[in-house]
Amino acid sequence: MGCGTSVATEIQGKKVETGDDVTIKIPNPALTMKAAILIQRWYRRYVARLEMRRRYTWNIFQSIEYAGEQDQLQLSSFFSFMLDNFTQLNGNGPDLISQLLDPVVDPWLDRDTCYNLIPVPESYTGPRLSFPLSISDTNALLSAFKEQQTLHARYVLQLLYETKKLLKQMPNIIHLSTSYTKEITICGDLHGRLDDLLLIFYKNGLPSAETPYVFNGDFVDRGKKSIEVVILLFAYLLLYPDYMHLNRGNHEDHIMNLRYGFTKEVMQKYKTHSREILQLFQDIFSLLPVATVIDGKILIVHGGISEQTDLDFLSSIERHKVKSALRFPRHSLEQLDISQSSRQTKIMRSTDSFCSSSSHSKNQKTPNLRSAATHRLPFLDSLSSISVPSPPQHEREWKQIVDILWSDPKMQEGCSPNTFRGGGCYFGPDITQRLLLQHGLQLLIRSHECKQEGYELCHGGQVITIFSASNYYEEGSNRGAYIKVGRELVPRFYQYQVSRTTRRLTLTQRVRAAEGSALKALKEKLFSHRTELMAGFQQYDQNNTGTVSVSEWALVLEAGLRLDLPWRTLRPHLSRLAPDGSVEYQSCFEDMGPGIPLPQVTPNLADTLFRYRTDIEIIFNIIDKDHSGLISTEEFRNTWRLFSAHLGVDIDDRAIDDLARSIDFNKDGSIDFTEFLEAFRVVHKLDSKDQQFNGKTFQ
Amino acid sequence: MAESKQSAELTEVQKKIRATFEAFDYEFNNTVDVREIGTIIYALGCFPSQKDLHDFIAQVEEDHTGWIHLDKFLPAMTEVLLEHKFPPIPEDLVLQAFEVLDKEKKGYLDPEELTKYMTQEGEPFTQVEMDEMLTAHADHEKNCICYKDLISQLTIDPDL
C-alpha cells in the first residue's frame, strides 16, 4: 500500500466531474461512514438469509431423523409380530430371527464363547491383545484403528467377554467423586465417529487417573466406525475401571442397531463370527449402567427424565432385563425361568439408595400404564392378541429405563409423551426442578440431541445437552463438544469440529453442502410416497390441470409425509410453478427414479419398497445366515407377505409370487437380494449436475 | 376494486409474516426469542440497519423478557412491509459504496483496508463477522477482495 497521507491528499485534491451521479464524490468521513453502513447492512442480510437456510436444512434433517425412528418402531413391531406368530414355523428365517432377537438367553447368564479356539493367522498384523489389558494394548488399538486396521474376531470376542464380566459387577447408577481426581470429562453421543473420539483424546488426553471420562451413551450406529469406537471405550473401561465410565444410550439397543447400521457394520467386518459378536454386544448393552452421579450433585443420563423418574427405584431394578426399549419386556420375562420369589429377593438387594425426601410410597403408585403405553407405543398392538396378564411392576421398570434413555427437555412445564421419537417423555423445567430437589442435585447433564454448537443449556441452566459427534448431519453441520467439571462443579465447555478438508469451509459452502444433502433426503421421501401424494394432489385437482395452489400443495405434503417442515419456504427447491403461480405437482418427482429397471410391480408396492428399503435389507441380511447374498424364493415370499400384511399394505399373494418370480433371475429358486434392493434405491438423475448447482431450484 | 386488492395484498403479507415467524417458534406458543428477530426481518426481504432493528425491537419486545409475541410482531411487521420501511439495497448502490471505500480506485480492496472499514466505521462488524467475510470471499492467491465479484456472488443465491 502506498503512503497513506499522500494518497489521501491526492484524492482530496482531485475533483470528480460526475454531473448527475451525486453518489460518487470525493470521499469524506460522513460518506465513508454511510458507505460502510450500507455494506454492513447488505452483508448482514446475506448472512441472515444463509442462517435461514441453515435452519430449515437442520429442520429437514431432524424431522427425517425422527420420522426414521418412528419407522423403526414399525420394524420392531414387525419382529415381535413374526416371533409371536411364527416361531413354530420351520425354515431358516424365523428361527434365525428368533435366535437373534428373542432374549431367550438372559444376558446375565454366561454364553458359550470359545474365543480361545479361534485361530489367528500369522499374516494378521493387527493388535494381539493380552488380558488383563495394559497400556501397550490400548496404544496398539489406537494406532491400529488410526491405520484403518480391523481387530481380529478372536480378540474382539475376548474383549467383549471380559467387558461383560466387568459390567455385571456394576450398579445401575455409578457414583463419582471429584475429590480424588482432577477434572472429570463428560462426552456425549459419538455415533461411530472415530475421528471425533480421537480428536477428543488428542485435545483432552487419553483416559487415565488424571483424566477420567464419562461417555454418555450412543457410541454406535450411523457412523462407519462404531466397532472401533466401542472397542476403544471398552478397552479403556477394562484398563481403568475407576477412571472410565460408560452410560447406556438409546442406541445401545440391538433393535436400534438393526436399523441404524451397527449390526450391518459388524456383519460386514466380521463375516464368520458376527452372530456371536452381536449376541455379546446385545448382552453388554443391556448391562451398561444407566446413570452416573458426580459428588451427589450432577446427574448424567443419556436422554432425560420423566415425572416418574425415581433414582432410588432406578438403582434397585435389574437393568439387564430391559434388553431393548423397543421390545416390551413381558414377553421375554415369561420365557425366563425366574420365579416371583427370587425376583423379590433380588429387588431387596439395593446397592445404592439416595436420600429421598419424597413422601409418596412407590408400592402404592399404580398408574394406568398399559393404556397410556399403548397409546404412545404402537408396537404393543401386535402383542395385544396374547392375553397373558403381566404385573405392572415390569412395566414400571421398563418405563424407568426407557424414560432415562429417550426423553427430551422442552420449554413448557409438565411432562408429555414423546410422540416424535415414539418413546420416553418431553420434560419441562418443573420436572427437572422437582427431581433435582428431590435428590439434592444441582445439574442434569444429558445428550441424545444434536446441537449446532455441540452443547446447549436449558431449564435456566439446570439442564445441559452435550453432543460429541461433529458434522453429524453433514460436513459443517455442527460442532462437537465435551464438558470438564472439577471440584467446584462448574462445567466448562470445549468445542471442536473434525474437518476432512484442509481448507476451512466458508459458511456459504457449509450451508450449501448441508442444504444439498438435506434436500436430497427430502426428495427421496417425496419419491417414496409418490402414489399417496399424487392421490392427494389429484383430490384438489378435479379438472386435471396438473396444478394445485401452493397452500394445497403444502397441505398434501404435510398430511402425506407427516414432517413438520416449512413447505412454502422449501417449495422452490422441490417443485415448479406454473405461469399463474400455482404448483405443477408432477415436477416434485421429476428428477428422481429407480436405480435399475424395476421389476414389474404395482405403484403401491413400489412405494412401499422404496420407503422400507433399509428395513427390508436388514431382514434379508438376517435371513441370509451364510452371507451369500442370496435367499430362497420361499423365504422371500414368506417374509414379504408377512411384512406387507403387517404394514397394512394391500398386496395380494399373486402379486408377491409374480414379484418373487420376476426377481429370481436365474430361475434357480434363489434371489440375489442385493440386486433386488438396488432397484429400489432412489437415484437422483441430476446427481452429476448437482455438484455445479447444488440442487436444482425451480422458479 | 382497489380496496379488495389492498386487503388481498394484506392477507398475503400477513401469511408470509406468520410463516416466517413460525419457523422460529420452537415451542408453538407464538413467541420467538428476541435474538432471532433480525434474521426474521431479513428473511422477509428487508434490509434494516442495526439501529433500525434496535428501534423495532424496542417497539415489540415484551418488557425485556427476551421474547417477542406474534400479537405485537404481526402489526409492526405488516406496517414495515407495506410501507417498505427497510427497502432492499440495489446492487449498483452496493457497488458505489465499495467504490467510495476504494479510495485508490484499484477495483479491489486489501483485506486490511476492508477490515478497517468494517470493524471501525458505521455499525462495526464483530470479529466473527469480519472473519467470515474475509474467508468467504477473499481471493486467496492475490490476497485481495474484488468487490464486483463479491457482489455478484452474494446476489446470485436463490431468493426464498
Side-chain angles (χ1 to χ4, degrees), chain A residues 50-98:
Chain A
L50 263 189
E51 179 58 36
M52 269 305 272
R53 284 163 67 188
R54 200 221 304 242
R55 243 160 240 272
Y56 75 65
T57 301
W58 189 263
N59 284 350
I60 293 174
F61 279 130
Q62 288 218 304
S63 302
I64 293 182
E65 177 179 10
Y66 294 156
E69 289 185 5
Q70 288 254 328
D71 284 348
Q72 171 58 27
L73 293 177
Q74 289 283 4
L75 184 68
S76 68
S77 69
F78 172 55
F79 286 138
S80 300
F81 177 72
M82 279 205 297
L83 287 166
D84 295 342
N85 292 284
F86 291 91
T87 36
Q88 59 271 57
L89 250 187
N90 289 327
N92 291 328
D95 280 348
L96 179 67
I97 294 170
S98 76

Coordinates of all heavy atoms in Angstrom, one line a residue, chain A residues 50-98:
Chain A
L50 N -28.6 -16.8 4.8 CA -27.9 -18.1 5.0 C -28.3 -18.8 6.2 O -28.5 -20.0 6.2 CB -26.4 -17.8 5.1 CG -25.5 -17.9 3.8 CD1 -24.1 -17.9 4.2 CD2 -25.8 -19.2 3.1
E51 N -28.5 -18.0 7.3 CA -28.9 -18.6 8.6 C -30.2 -19.3 8.4 O -30.5 -20.3 9.0 CB -28.9 -17.5 9.6 CG -29.3 -17.9 11.0 CD -28.4 -19.0 11.6 OE1 -27.2 -19.0 11.3 OE2 -29.0 -19.9 12.3
M52 N -31.1 -18.6 7.7 CA -32.5 -19.2 7.5 C -32.3 -20.5 6.8 O -33.0 -21.5 7.1 CB -33.3 -18.2 6.5 CG -34.1 -17.2 7.2 SD -35.2 -17.9 8.4 CE -36.7 -18.3 7.4
R53 N -31.5 -20.5 5.8 CA -31.4 -21.8 5.0 C -30.7 -22.9 5.9 O -31.1 -24.0 5.9 CB -30.5 -21.5 3.8 CG -31.2 -20.8 2.7 CD -30.3 -20.3 1.7 NE -29.6 -21.3 1.0 CZ -28.6 -21.1 0.1 NH1 -28.2 -19.8 -0.1 NH2 -28.0 -22.0 -0.5
R54 N -29.8 -22.4 6.7 CA -29.2 -23.4 7.6 C -30.2 -24.0 8.6 O -30.3 -25.2 8.8 CB -28.1 -22.7 8.4 CG -27.1 -23.7 9.0 CD -26.6 -23.5 10.4 NE -26.0 -22.3 10.7 CZ -24.7 -22.2 11.1 NH1 -23.9 -23.2 11.1 NH2 -24.2 -21.0 11.5
R55 N -31.1 -23.1 9.0 CA -32.1 -23.6 9.9 C -33.1 -24.6 9.3 O -33.4 -25.6 9.9 CB -33.0 -22.4 10.4 CG -32.9 -22.1 11.8 CD -33.3 -20.6 12.0 NE -32.3 -19.9 12.6 CZ -32.1 -19.9 13.9 NH1 -32.9 -20.5 14.7 NH2 -31.1 -19.2 14.4
Y56 N -33.6 -24.2 8.2 CA -34.5 -25.2 7.6 C -33.9 -26.5 7.2 O -34.5 -27.5 7.2 CB -35.5 -24.6 6.6 CG -34.9 -24.4 5.2 CD1 -34.5 -25.4 4.4 CD2 -34.8 -23.1 4.7 CE1 -33.9 -25.2 3.1 CE2 -34.3 -22.9 3.4 CZ -33.8 -23.9 2.7 OH -33.3 -23.7 1.4
T57 N -32.6 -26.4 6.8 CA -31.8 -27.6 6.5 C -31.8 -28.5 7.7 O -32.0 -29.7 7.7 CB -30.4 -27.2 6.1 OG1 -30.5 -26.4 4.9 CG2 -29.6 -28.5 5.8
W58 N -31.5 -27.8 8.9 CA -31.4 -28.5 10.1 C -32.8 -29.2 10.4 O -32.8 -30.3 10.8 CB -31.1 -27.5 11.2 CG -30.8 -28.0 12.5 CD1 -31.6 -28.2 13.6 CD2 -29.5 -28.6 13.0 NE1 -31.0 -28.7 14.6 CE2 -29.7 -29.0 14.3 CE3 -28.3 -28.7 12.4 CZ2 -28.7 -29.5 15.1 CZ3 -27.3 -29.3 13.1 CH2 -27.5 -29.6 14.4
N59 N -33.8 -28.4 10.2 CA -35.2 -29.0 10.4 C -35.4 -30.2 9.6 O -36.0 -31.2 10.1 CB -36.3 -27.9 10.0 CG -36.4 -26.9 11.1 OD1 -35.8 -27.0 12.2 ND2 -37.2 -25.8 10.8
I60 N -35.0 -30.1 8.4 CA -35.2 -31.3 7.5 C -34.5 -32.5 8.0 O -35.1 -33.6 8.2 CB -34.7 -31.0 6.0 CG1 -35.5 -29.9 5.4 CG2 -34.7 -32.3 5.2 CD1 -35.0 -29.5 4.0
F61 N -33.3 -32.3 8.4 CA -32.5 -33.5 8.9 C -33.1 -34.0 10.1 O -33.3 -35.3 10.3 CB -31.1 -33.1 9.2 CG -30.1 -33.0 8.1 CD1 -29.4 -31.9 7.8 CD2 -30.0 -34.1 7.2 CE1 -28.5 -31.8 6.8 CE2 -29.2 -34.0 6.1 CZ -28.4 -32.9 5.9
Q62 N -33.5 -33.2 11.0 CA -34.1 -33.6 12.3 C -35.4 -34.3 12.1 O -35.7 -35.4 12.6 CB -34.3 -32.5 13.3 CG -32.9 -32.0 13.8 CD -33.0 -31.6 15.2 OE1 -33.8 -30.8 15.6 NE2 -32.2 -32.2 16.1
S63 N -36.3 -33.7 11.2 CA -37.6 -34.3 11.0 C -37.4 -35.7 10.4 O -38.1 -36.6 10.8 CB -38.4 -33.5 10.0 OG -38.6 -32.2 10.5
I64 N -36.5 -35.8 9.4 CA -36.4 -37.1 8.8 C -35.8 -38.1 9.8 O -36.1 -39.3 9.8 CB -35.5 -37.0 7.5 CG1 -36.3 -36.2 6.5 CG2 -35.1 -38.3 7.0 CD1 -35.5 -36.0 5.2
E65 N -34.9 -37.6 10.6 CA -34.2 -38.5 11.6 C -35.3 -39.1 12.5 O -35.4 -40.2 12.8 CB -33.2 -37.7 12.4 CG -32.6 -38.6 13.5 CD -31.5 -37.9 14.3 OE1 -31.4 -36.6 14.1 OE2 -30.8 -38.5 15.0
Y66 N -36.1 -38.2 13.1 CA -37.1 -38.6 14.0 C -38.2 -39.5 13.3 O -38.7 -40.4 13.9 CB -37.8 -37.5 14.7 CG -36.8 -36.7 15.6 CD1 -37.0 -35.4 16.0 CD2 -35.7 -37.4 16.1 CE1 -36.1 -34.7 16.8 CE2 -34.8 -36.7 16.9 CZ -35.0 -35.4 17.3 OH -34.1 -34.7 18.0
A67 N -38.5 -39.1 12.1 CA -39.5 -39.9 11.3 C -38.9 -41.3 11.1 O -39.6 -42.3 11.2 CB -39.8 -39.2 10.0
G68 N -37.6 -41.3 10.9 CA -37.0 -42.6 10.7 C -37.1 -43.5 12.0 O -37.3 -44.7 11.9
E69 N -36.9 -42.8 13.1 CA -37.0 -43.5 14.3 C -38.4 -44.1 14.5 O -38.6 -45.1 15.1 CB -36.6 -42.7 15.5 CG -35.1 -42.4 15.5 CD -34.5 -41.7 16.7 OE1 -35.3 -41.4 17.6 OE2 -33.3 -41.4 16.6
Q70 N -39.4 -43.3 14.0 CA -40.8 -43.8 14.1 C -40.9 -45.0 13.2 O -41.6 -46.0 13.6 CB -41.7 -42.7 13.6 CG -41.9 -41.6 14.5 CD -43.2 -41.6 15.2 OE1 -44.2 -42.0 14.7 NE2 -43.3 -41.1 16.4
D71 N -40.3 -45.0 12.1 CA -40.4 -46.2 11.2 C -39.7 -47.4 11.9 O -40.1 -48.5 11.7 CB -39.6 -45.9 9.9 CG -40.3 -45.0 8.9 OD1 -41.5 -44.8 9.2 OD2 -39.7 -44.5 8.0
Q72 N -38.7 -47.1 12.7 CA -38.1 -48.1 13.4 C -39.0 -48.9 14.3 O -38.9 -50.1 14.4 CB -37.0 -47.5 14.3 CG -36.3 -48.4 15.3 CD -35.7 -49.6 14.6 OE1 -35.3 -49.5 13.5 NE2 -35.6 -50.7 15.4
L73 N -40.0 -48.2 14.8 CA -41.0 -48.9 15.6 C -41.8 -49.9 14.8 O -42.2 -51.0 15.2 CB -42.0 -47.9 16.3 CG -41.3 -47.0 17.3 CD1 -42.3 -46.0 17.8 CD2 -40.8 -47.9 18.4
Q74 N -42.0 -49.5 13.5 CA -42.7 -50.5 12.6 C -41.9 -51.7 12.5 O -42.4 -52.8 12.6 CB -42.8 -49.8 11.2 CG -43.7 -48.7 11.1 CD -45.2 -49.2 11.0 OE1 -45.4 -50.4 11.2 NE2 -46.1 -48.3 10.9
L75 N -40.6 -51.6 12.3 CA -39.7 -52.7 12.1 C -39.7 -53.6 13.4 O -39.9 -54.8 13.3 CB -38.3 -52.3 11.8 CG -37.3 -53.4 11.5 CD1 -37.7 -54.1 10.2 CD2 -35.9 -52.9 11.4
S76 N -39.6 -53.0 14.5 CA -39.5 -53.8 15.7 C -40.9 -54.4 16.0 O -40.9 -55.6 16.5 CB -39.1 -52.9 16.9 OG -40.1 -52.0 17.2
S77 N -41.9 -53.8 15.7 CA -43.2 -54.4 15.9 C -43.4 -55.5 15.0 O -44.1 -56.5 15.3 CB -44.4 -53.4 15.8 OG -44.5 -53.0 14.5
F78 N -42.8 -55.4 13.8 CA -42.9 -56.5 12.8 C -42.1 -57.7 13.4 O -42.6 -58.8 13.2 CB -42.3 -56.0 11.5 CG -42.1 -57.1 10.5 CD1 -43.2 -57.9 10.1 CD2 -40.9 -57.4 9.9 CE1 -43.0 -58.9 9.2 CE2 -40.7 -58.4 9.0 CZ -41.8 -59.2 8.6
F79 N -41.0 -57.5 14.0 CA -40.3 -58.6 14.5 C -41.1 -59.3 15.6 O -41.1 -60.5 15.7 CB -38.9 -58.1 15.1 CG -37.9 -57.8 14.0 CD1 -37.1 -56.7 14.1 CD2 -37.8 -58.6 12.9 CE1 -36.2 -56.4 13.2 CE2 -36.8 -58.3 11.9 CZ -36.0 -57.2 12.1
S80 N -41.7 -58.5 16.5 CA -42.5 -59.1 17.5 C -43.6 -59.9 16.9 O -43.9 -61.0 17.4 CB -43.1 -58.0 18.4 OG -42.1 -57.2 19.0
F81 N -44.2 -59.3 15.9 CA -45.3 -59.9 15.2 C -44.9 -61.3 14.7 O -45.5 -62.3 14.9 CB -45.8 -59.0 14.1 CG -46.9 -59.5 13.3 CD1 -48.2 -59.6 13.7 CD2 -46.6 -59.9 11.9 CE1 -49.2 -60.1 12.9 CE2 -47.6 -60.3 11.1 CZ -48.9 -60.4 11.6
M82 N -43.7 -61.3 14.0 CA -43.2 -62.5 13.4 C -43.0 -63.6 14.5 O -43.4 -64.7 14.4 CB -41.9 -62.3 12.7 CG -42.1 -61.7 11.3 SD -40.7 -62.1 10.2 CE -39.4 -61.2 11.0
L83 N -42.3 -63.1 15.5 CA -41.9 -64.1 16.6 C -43.2 -64.6 17.3 O -43.3 -65.8 17.5 CB -41.1 -63.4 17.6 CG -39.7 -63.1 17.2 CD1 -39.0 -62.1 18.1 CD2 -38.9 -64.4 17.1
D84 N -44.1 -63.8 17.5 CA -45.3 -64.2 18.2 C -46.1 -65.2 17.4 O -46.8 -66.1 17.9 CB -46.2 -63.0 18.6 CG -45.5 -62.1 19.6 OD1 -44.5 -62.6 20.2 OD2 -45.9 -61.0 19.7
N85 N -46.1 -65.0 16.1 CA -47.0 -65.8 15.3 C -46.3 -67.0 14.5 O -47.0 -67.9 14.1 CB -47.7 -65.0 14.2 CG -48.7 -64.0 14.9 OD1 -49.7 -64.5 15.3 ND2 -48.3 -62.8 15.1
F86 N -45.0 -66.9 14.4 CA -44.4 -67.9 13.5 C -43.2 -68.6 14.1 O -42.4 -69.2 13.4 CB -43.9 -67.2 12.2 CG -45.1 -66.8 11.4 CD1 -45.7 -65.5 11.6 CD2 -45.7 -67.6 10.5 CE1 -46.8 -65.1 10.8 CE2 -46.8 -67.3 9.8 CZ -47.4 -66.0 9.9
T87 N -43.1 -68.6 15.4 CA -41.9 -69.3 16.0 C -42.0 -70.8 15.7 O -41.0 -71.5 15.7 CB -41.8 -69.1 17.5 OG1 -43.1 -69.0 18.0 CG2 -41.1 -67.8 17.7
Q88 N -43.2 -71.3 15.4 CA -43.3 -72.7 15.2 C -43.0 -73.1 13.8 O -42.9 -74.3 13.4 CB -44.7 -73.3 15.6 CG -45.8 -72.7 14.9 CD -46.4 -71.4 15.6 OE1 -45.6 -70.5 15.8 NE2 -47.6 -71.4 15.9
L89 N -42.9 -72.1 12.9 CA -42.6 -72.4 11.5 C -41.2 -73.0 11.4 O -40.2 -72.6 12.0 CB -42.6 -71.1 10.7 CG -43.7 -70.9 9.7 CD1 -43.5 -69.6 8.9 CD2 -43.9 -72.1 8.8
N90 N -41.1 -73.9 10.5 CA -39.7 -74.4 10.1 C -39.1 -73.5 9.1 O -39.8 -72.8 8.4 CB -39.8 -75.9 9.7 CG -40.1 -76.8 10.8 OD1 -39.7 -76.5 11.9 ND2 -40.9 -77.8 10.5
G91 N -37.9 -73.7 8.9 CA -37.2 -72.9 7.9 C -36.2 -72.0 8.5 O -36.3 -71.8 9.7
N92 N -35.4 -71.4 7.8 CA -34.3 -70.6 8.4 C -34.7 -69.3 8.9 O -34.3 -68.9 10.0 CB -33.2 -70.4 7.3 CG -32.5 -71.7 6.9 OD1 -32.4 -72.5 7.8 ND2 -32.1 -71.8 5.7
G93 N -35.6 -68.6 8.2 CA -35.9 -67.2 8.5 C -36.3 -67.0 10.0 O -35.5 -66.5 10.8
P94 N -37.5 -67.5 10.3 CA -38.0 -67.1 11.6 C -37.1 -67.7 12.8 O -36.9 -67.1 13.8 CB -39.4 -67.8 11.7 CG -39.8 -67.8 10.3 CD -38.5 -68.1 9.5
D95 N -36.5 -68.9 12.6 CA -35.7 -69.4 13.6 C -34.5 -68.5 13.9 O -34.1 -68.2 15.0 CB -35.2 -70.8 13.2 CG -36.3 -71.8 13.5 OD1 -37.2 -71.5 14.1 OD2 -36.1 -73.0 13.0
L96 N -33.9 -68.1 12.8 CA -32.7 -67.2 13.0 C -33.1 -65.9 13.6 O -32.5 -65.4 14.5 CB -32.1 -67.0 11.6 CG -30.9 -66.0 11.7 CD1 -29.8 -66.7 12.4 CD2 -30.4 -65.6 10.3
I97 N -34.2 -65.4 13.2 CA -34.7 -64.1 13.7 C -35.0 -64.3 15.2 O -34.6 -63.5 16.0 CB -35.9 -63.6 13.0 CG1 -35.6 -63.2 11.6 CG2 -36.5 -62.4 13.7 CD1 -36.8 -63.0 10.7
S98 N -35.6 -65.4 15.5 CA -35.9 -65.6 16.9 C -34.6 -65.8 17.7 O -34.6 -65.3 18.9 CB -36.8 -66.8 17.1 OG -36.1 -68.0 17.0

